[in-house]
């Protein structure tokens, strides 16, 4: 018999509705799996066992009385990344400076999950303040790859990705600023969706780079990603950048006739491993057999998008992380004058990657350099958005690998920040342009999962996920 | 471009970050390497191009109104203070001689 914690959202929903399983049993199965495997994987920083079982019990009671449910997620155990607030619970964003921090309120996505009856199972490990591509940069130790504990799971949402891949939960939430949902999803062989900027409220998500950050689903199937996105989307008065655009609604199709899939010429050159290339090209053939028309398109500024990202993101980081100064929350160095209190609290509480990005951003925003760096990057950002707009006049979705390689060995890239940054080449453009994109598993290379990266038009997650799901179904 | 020791010290000062000797050496090298990569933006012709503002325009402004905070939430906020005297946040004195 299939173990309960291996179920997808859709499967668990059907079994709960048919009274074949209870939410308490489902939740307990997940907690048991965390207990037996998390010691070696370090994906979950904390389980909310008592509250989770209480929520599961309430869900079972609701269904038992008159079969009501608060939403499609009612009774489903979900893990959230450690930068998403859950009221009354520790929330550290993987940082030492927030080791004592307790969330005073729920993030909007947390509130929505709770209102719909979801069981918040625990919080997932992550690179400190979501800065990293490997989850080696957590103050609470690295998360390990579920298939090979000597390898990284990707990042920064590595804890969420491993929680889903190792069946610690039914689904998870991550956050994506430059690929932090999609790249770990690719490395761990699950589905990761970054919604269009403005689709999901960022209220209660600890800000890294506010103009790029977006919360999204990390799930076992494309259908689950759609279910979870439906649950968390929507305009929110607490986040003025959320859009009043018409809500996402799944629009599945079995065949892809009439759809045009674009392969950006500039992305398919050198710089990706042969295993990744052949797996993703096989997926392209699969899409063709489903009726999709495959065309090559121009998408200039691929390298420039990475440069724009690694310039603008640190600028926003340096501003957003100014609040972590040991004053109102977090860890403070005591008995020092004011300046030293700030400087030493931050030096001690923030890790090397975070400090590096703060320095970079401070530089690019400083007098004499602002126009040459920040403003220049904002202009190139306009050109990048236009390049995507032009490509989307020719095609419905764009296709690349999610990452140039599969999961690498722990420690392999940690000493060379630029090498780590180059891993984000296929994912950052989407954040720079504010578009939706999904990573879907497409085979393995030397036993490690490979991800196919599909990018859609703004607010057209429906087409994006329809292509992803048709592929997923045909690849089974 | 590369950054000098002095440049890094100034940035660290602006960013309120104390750096050890090792960290200063690492920062000179690593910040310089990333700046070297982003230099390529200088070659992009952006004449007449407007800087992008936000990927989405700001909508849904919220009304600026006071709303009550329940005692439990209030206590959570206060409990996060690193130092506290009753319900007040304790901080080091603000008006001391500046560092420089």
């Amino acid at each position: 018999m299939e173990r309960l914690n291996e179920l997808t959202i859709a499967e668990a929903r059907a079994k709960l509705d048919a009274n074949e399983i209870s939410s308490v049993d489902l939740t307990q199965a997940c907690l048991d799996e965390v207990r037996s495997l998390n010691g070696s994987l370090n994906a979950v920083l904390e389980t909310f066992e008592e509250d989770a079982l209480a929520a599961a019990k309430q869900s079972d009671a609701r269904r038992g009385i008159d079969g009501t449910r608060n939403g499609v997620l009612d009774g489903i155990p979900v893990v959230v990344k450690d930068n998403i607030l859950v009221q009354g619970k520790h929330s550290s964003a993987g940082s030492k400076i927030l080791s004592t921090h307790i969330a005073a309120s729920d993030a909007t996505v947390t509130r929505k999950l709770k209102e719909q009856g979801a069981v918040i199972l625990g919080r997932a490990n992550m690179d400190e303040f979501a800065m990293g591509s490997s989850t080696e940069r957590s103050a609470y130790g690295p998360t390990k790859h579920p298939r090979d504990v000597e390898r990284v799971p990707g990042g920064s949402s590595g804890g969420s990705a491993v929680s889903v891949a190792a069946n610690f939960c039914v689904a998870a939430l991550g956050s994506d600023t430059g690929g932090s949902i999609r790249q770990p999803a690719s490395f761990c062989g699950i589905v990761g969706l970054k919604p269009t900027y403005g689709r999901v409220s960022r209220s209660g998500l600890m800000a890294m780079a506010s103009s790029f950050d977006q919360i999204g689903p990390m799930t076992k199937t494309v259908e689950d990603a759609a279910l979870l996105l439906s649950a968390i989307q929507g305009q929110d008065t607490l986040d003025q950048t959320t859009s009043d655009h018409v809500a996402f609604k799944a629009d599945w199709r079995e065949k892809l006739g009439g759809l045009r899939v674009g392969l950006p010429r500039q992305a398919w050159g050198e710089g990706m491993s042969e295993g990744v290339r052949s797996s993703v090209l096989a997926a392209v053939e699969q899409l063709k057999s489903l009726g999709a028309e495959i065309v090559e398109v121009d998408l200039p500024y691929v390298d420039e998008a990475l440069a724009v990202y690694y310039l603008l993101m640190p600028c926003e980081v340096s501003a957003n992380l100014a609040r972590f100064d040991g004053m109102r929350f977090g860890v403070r160095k005591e008995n020092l004058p004011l300046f030293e209190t700030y400087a030493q609290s931050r030096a001690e509480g923030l890790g090397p990657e975070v400090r590096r990005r703060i320095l970079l951003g401070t530089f690019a925003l400083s007098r004499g350099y602002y126009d040459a760096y920040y403003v220049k990057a904002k202009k190139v950002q306009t050109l990048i958005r236009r390049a995507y707009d032009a490509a989307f006049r020719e095609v419905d979705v764009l296709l690349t690998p999610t990452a140039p390689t599969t999961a690498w060995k722990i420690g392999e890239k940690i000493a060379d920040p630029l090498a780590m940054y180059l891993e984000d080449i296929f994912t950052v453009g989407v954040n720079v342009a504010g578009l939706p994109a999904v990573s879907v598993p497409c085979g393995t290379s030397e036993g490690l999962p490979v991800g196919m990266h599909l990018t859609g038009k703004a607010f057209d997650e429906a087409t994006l996920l329809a292509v992803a799901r048709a592929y997923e179904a045909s690849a089974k | 471009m590369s950054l000098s020791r002095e440049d890094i010290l100034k940035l660290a000062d602006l960013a309120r970050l104390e750096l050890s000797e090792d960290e200063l050496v690492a920062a000179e090298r690593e910040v310089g390497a990333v700046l070297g990569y982003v230099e390529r933006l200088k070659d992009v012709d952006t004449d007449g191009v407007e800087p992008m503002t936000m990927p989405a325009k700001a909508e849904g402004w919220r009304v600026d109104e006071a709303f009550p905070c329940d005692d439990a939430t209030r206590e959570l906020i206060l409990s996060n203070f690193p130092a506290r005297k009753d319900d007040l946040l304790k901080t080091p004195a603000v008006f001391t001689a500046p560092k420089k």
Side-chain angles (χ1 to χ4, degrees):
Chain A
M1 188 188 141
E2 194 175 38
R3 296 183 313 150
L4 295 185
N5 52 307
E6 292 176 4
L7 295 174
T8 65
I9 295 176
E11 290 165 352
R13 177 79 270 138
K15 287 183 190 291
L16 285 165
D17 288 347
N19 279 323
E20 287 170 28
I21 63 170
S22 72
S23 173
V24 168
D25 288 345
L26 178 59
T27 303
Q28 192 60 56
C30 292
L31 290 167
D32 290 346
E33 195 73 349
V34 174
R35 196 164 294 134
S36 67
L37 286 177
N38 195 51
S40 58
L41 297 179
N42 197 31
V44 171
L45 292 174
E46 183 188 5
T47 52
F48 310 139
E49 183 160 349
E50 203 175 309
D51 288 2
L53 287 169
K57 210 169 163 183
Q58 284 171 9
S59 169
D60 287 337
R62 271 193 295 277
R63 235 179 13 265
I65 292 165
D66 53 5
T68 54
R69 62 180 210 208
N70 290 348
V72 73
L73 296 175
D74 203 332
I76 309 276
V78 176
V79 160
V80 299
K81 191 175 177 177
D82 191 32
N83 57 355
I84 297 172
L85 303 186
V86 179
Q87 188 178 40
K89 302 295 179 194
H90 277 283
S91 186
S92 74
S95 182
K96 197 174 154 192
I97 204 165
L98 291 181
S99 56
T100 59
H101 175 248
I102 295 182
S105 56
D106 278 331
T108 294
V109 292
T110 307
R111 177 178 57 76
K112 288 187 178 221
L113 290 180
K114 285 180 176 175
E115 282 171 1
Q116 297 184 43
V119 173
I120 315 276
L121 197 80
R123 58 190 175 99
N125 202 6
M126 57 184 282
D127 284 302
E128 184 178 3
F129 289 111
M131 298 180 209
S133 309
S134 65
T135 319
E136 292 168 286
R137 296 234 178 249
S138 167
Y140 305 97
T143 297
K144 315 287 176 60
H145 195 283
R147 294 196 195 182
D148 178 354
V149 293
E150 289 183 4
R151 289 181 186 273
V152 302
S156 65
S157 309
S160 299
V162 173
S163 294
V164 174
N167 295 304
F168 287 180
C169 56
V170 176
L173 288 183
S175 70
D176 190 315
T177 308
S180 280
I181 285 175
R182 293 159 286 152
Q183 184 253 21
S186 167
F187 279 17
C188 293
I190 64 163
V191 174
L193 170 68
K194 186 206 90 81
T196 309
Y197 187 84
R199 177 69 91 186
V200 178
S201 171
R202 291 177 294 109
S203 175
L205 170 70
M206 289 189 209
M208 172 187 165
S210 313
S211 76
F212 300 134
D213 296 342
Q214 194 66 189
I215 296 171
M218 303 184 77
T219 55
K220 298 170 189 176
T221 64
V222 176
E223 182 185 19
D224 278 8
L227 291 171
L228 195 44
L229 176 62
S230 301
I232 60 173
Q233 68 176 335
Q235 196 173 19
D236 180 14
T237 53
L238 298 179
D239 174 2
Q240 77 215 29
T241 62
T242 48
S243 169
D244 60 357
H245 202 278
V246 62
F248 159 77
K249 195 166 172 294
D251 182 16
W252 305 125
R253 40 170 104 190
E254 278 172 35
K255 294 287 175 197
L256 300 179
L259 269 172
R260 289 165 71 91
V261 176
L263 308 186
R265 254 177 227 112
Q266 289 83 350
W268 283 88
E270 289 171 18
M272 69 177 84
S273 78
E274 274 316 303
V276 167
R277 182 187 297 271
S278 59
S279 293
V280 180
L281 284 176
V284 171
E285 287 306 311
Q286 194 70 34
L287 289 173
K288 205 188 273 181
S289 74
L290 290 166
E293 187 187 345
I294 310 292
V295 291
E296 278 196 20
V297 289
D298 255 321
L299 188 67
Y301 307 122
V302 169
D303 291 335
E304 285 79 3
L306 193 68
V308 164
Y309 177 74
Y310 275 102
L311 203 276
L312 295 181
M313 173 271 293
C315 290
E316 297 190 30
V317 162
S318 73
N320 275 328
L321 271 69
R323 75 193 61 170
F324 300 110
D325 59 2
M327 285 300 131
R328 286 170 300 142
F329 38 70
V331 178
R332 179 196 295 179
K333 292 286 285 181
E334 288 291 357
N335 302 316
L336 293 167
L338 188 66
F339 185 94
E340 285 75 10
T341 304
Y342 291 140
Q344 290 188 23
S345 299
R346 284 161 69 76
E348 199 151 298
L350 301 173
E353 180 62 27
V354 174
R355 296 203 299 262
R356 178 160 44 242
R357 294 191 192 189
I358 289 173
L359 288 175
L360 254 172
T362 306
F363 168 76
L365 292 173
S366 61
R367 194 173 62 188
Y369 298 106
Y370 175 81
D371 283 328
Y373 286 91
Y374 184 79
V375 176
K376 181 75 182 182
K378 293 299 279 184
K379 288 179 178 174
V380 179
Q381 187 184 14
T382 300
L383 294 176
I384 291 165
R385 177 65 195 243
R386 283 184 198 162
Y388 274 101
D389 288 345
F392 280 123
R393 281 194 285 275
E394 291 178 48
V395 297
D396 298 291
V397 295
L398 292 166
L399 190 158
T400 63
T402 305
T405 63
T406 53
W408 60 82
K409 287 257 170 73
I410 290 174
E412 200 177 313
K413 294 182 197 281
I414 200 90
D416 186 354
L418 191 56
M420 187 88 87
Y421 296 174
L422 290 171
E423 287 295 320
D424 301 336
I425 188 88
F426 297 130
T427 50
V428 292
V430 160
N431 301 77
V432 169
L435 301 172
V438 65
S439 179
V440 191
C442 71
T444 57
S445 169
E446 293 173 3
L448 293 168
V450 175
M452 167 172 68
H453 189 257
L454 296 166
T455 305
K457 298 173 188 171
F459 296 104
D460 192 9
E461 284 90 347
T463 302
L464 182 68
L465 293 179
V467 175
R469 192 176 185 209
Y471 167 75
E472 178 188 63
S474 74
K476 263 181 188 156
Chain B
M1 84 171 270
S2 63
L3 295 182
S4 67
R5 166 70 52 113
E6 217 170 89
D7 294 332
I8 298 282
L9 282 170
K10 178 159 178 276
L11 294 176
D13 200 59
L14 286 170
R16 305 288 187 270
L17 273 177
E18 193 170 276
L19 297 180
S20 69
E21 179 59 30
D22 287 354
E23 287 165 345
L24 276 168
V25 173
E28 279 177 61
R29 188 182 63 238
E30 292 159 355
V31 174
V34 178
L35 287 176
Y37 186 83
V38 304
E39 288 292 311
R40 68 190 58 226
L41 295 180
K42 291 213 160 77
D43 300 332
V44 181
D45 181 4
T46 52
D47 274 357
V49 177
E50 284 294 308
M52 191 154 156
T53 47
M54 288 282 275
K57 65 174 192 288
E59 294 173 271
W61 294 94
R62 105 183 98 104
V63 183
D64 185 15
E65 57 185 350
F67 55 90
C69 177
D70 61 80
D71 287 349
T73 303
R74 188 168 171 279
E75 188 48 40
L76 280 173
I77 295 168
L78 296 176
S79 72
N80 277 308
F81 289 175
R84 175 177 172 181
K85 190 179 176 197
D86 301 325
D87 283 353
L88 300 175
L89 171 66
K90 239 173 113 173
T91 71
V94 173
F95 297 107
T96 53
K99 192 185 166 205
K100 282 179 186 164

